[in-house]
Amino acid sequence: MPAESNMSTHSDPQSSETAFLEMRDVVAGYGNTTVLHDINIGVENGQIACLIGPNGSGKSTLMKSIYGFADVKSGTITVNENDITGRSPQENLMAGMSYVLQDASVFPQMTVHENMLMGGYVFDDDSQAARRAEELYDEFPILGDIRNQNAGTLSGGQRRLLELARALMVDPEIMMLDEPSIGLEPRFIEDVFDRIKQLNNLGTTILLVEQNAQKGLSVADRGFVLASGEIKFTGTGTELLNNDEIGRLYLGG
């Protein structure tokens, strides 16, 4: 099937006044190294957006440039019309943004509950964090059942669920997920994506990077294909899944 008329091969038509998260003409990287070139994307409030592309294309750098872990050399990044370009990770967390890294980030010697409380370290007092953890145990009962278990003893799927729930401690408006299915057994991948949809249904806007492109695009309202540090295609998740060229180049079709 050819690309549909409202699919763009370069700039994002949704990158406009309707975007909740927007990157406009962003050039970013690390130190003297430039990784991203003239990135334009827009994600509406309440959407799931998925970023796909080959290894080394700059997907993680794009996420890190939003959150403050990479250097934005030019361009602007806005959330809800507020310029957050160059804002520190701490400031972004305080402002209601969460970022679940690709690498395992649980504290293995701590219990599940202690890990959850670490997600609320920005709160003014421990009791506020404890109350928020209890709310999340209602949403994710399996974590409540194992709250006293050391995180180092959890399965891969349970660890990823803990990372997702811990990122919700600050009740984020936007959650960024870098390769949520990486390293998981197939039986856990479906559960993780069910949880992602659940988070979205709770009102969280989600931007995810996913090597399992078919799976990522299947849950996405919006999709972006990144290659060599540039956005090559944008469209709905369904449009990208049904595009022959994208299938051949990026989906193994």
Side-chain angles (χ1 to χ4, degrees):
M1 179 185 297
E4 296 189 26
S5 58
N6 59 347
M7 184 190 300
S8 170
T9 56
H10 294 290
S11 63
D12 185 7
Q14 197 164 331
S15 184
S16 67
E17 63 275 1
T18 65
F20 184 68
L21 166 65
E22 183 174 26
M23 303 179 75
R24 183 171 293 176
D25 302 322
V26 170
V27 176
Y30 309 95
N32 293 326
T33 302
T34 298
V35 179
L36 302 177
H37 310 277
D38 297 321
I39 298 295
N40 289 278
I41 68 171
V43 181
E44 288 191 6
N45 193 23
Q47 284 190 328
I48 298 176
C50 180
L51 186 67
I52 68 168
N55 289 334
S57 60
K59 302 186 298 295
S60 292
T61 300
L62 188 149
M63 303 273 271
K64 290 175 180 176
S65 68
I66 295 172
Y67 205 68
F69 287 130
D71 303 319
V72 177
K73 302 170 187 295
S74 62
T76 56
I77 302 172
T78 57
V79 172
N80 199 19
E81 299 183 352
N82 296 311
D83 190 342
I84 68 164
T85 313
R87 197 164 69 178
S88 72
Q90 174 81 4
E91 290 173 309
N92 282 321
L93 182 64
M94 296 286 287
M97 296 175 66
S98 286
Y99 184 19
V100 179
L101 298 167
Q102 178 177 332
D103 299 324
S105 61
V106 300
F107 300 98
Q109 302 304 320
M110 292 183 177
T111 66
V112 167
H113 187 62
E114 288 167 340
N115 269 273
M116 290 289 286
L117 296 181
M118 289 294 290
Y121 79 93
V122 297
F123 293 146
D124 292 333
D125 60 78
D126 292 342
S127 62
Q128 185 179 359
R131 286 194 300 272
R132 178 60 178 157
E134 291 300 327
E135 292 174 359
L136 290 168
Y137 293 146
D138 289 339
E139 297 291 342
F140 305 100
I142 185 175
L143 293 178
D145 293 342
I146 59 174
R147 68 176 71 190
N148 296 318
Q149 191 170 325
N150 273 11
T153 68
L154 303 184
S155 70
Q158 289 171 328
R159 288 188 192 195
R160 185 56 86 188
L161 181 58
L162 174 56
E163 290 170 338
L164 294 176
R166 186 179 61 189
L168 285 172
M169 285 288 289
V170 296
D171 195 17
E173 292 182 302
I174 292 181
M175 180 180 286
M176 298 192 297
L177 309 174
D178 197 347
E179 301 281 11
S181 73
I182 194 167
L184 296 182
E185 298 176 35
R187 62 195 177 102
F188 289 124
I189 292 175
E190 195 67 41
D191 184 52
V192 165
F193 276 92
D194 285 344
R195 298 298 185 178
I196 289 171
K197 289 185 282 188
Q198 180 182 359
L199 302 184
N200 182 243
N201 289 336
L202 293 173
T204 307
T205 302
I206 294 173
L207 175 63
L208 64 97
V209 165
E210 184 50 61
Q211 196 63 38
N212 186 339
Q214 298 266 7
K215 194 65 186 173
L217 291 175
S218 72
V219 302
D221 303 295
R222 197 91 190 134
F224 308 101
V225 180
L226 188 70
S228 302
E230 298 178 353
I231 297 292
K232 300 297 186 182
F233 297 92
T234 69
T236 68
T238 301
E239 286 169 353
L240 298 187
L241 279 172
N242 290 336
N243 181 275
D244 286 343
E245 184 179 2
I246 293 172
R248 186 180 72 255
L249 294 175
Y250 305 107
L251 303 180

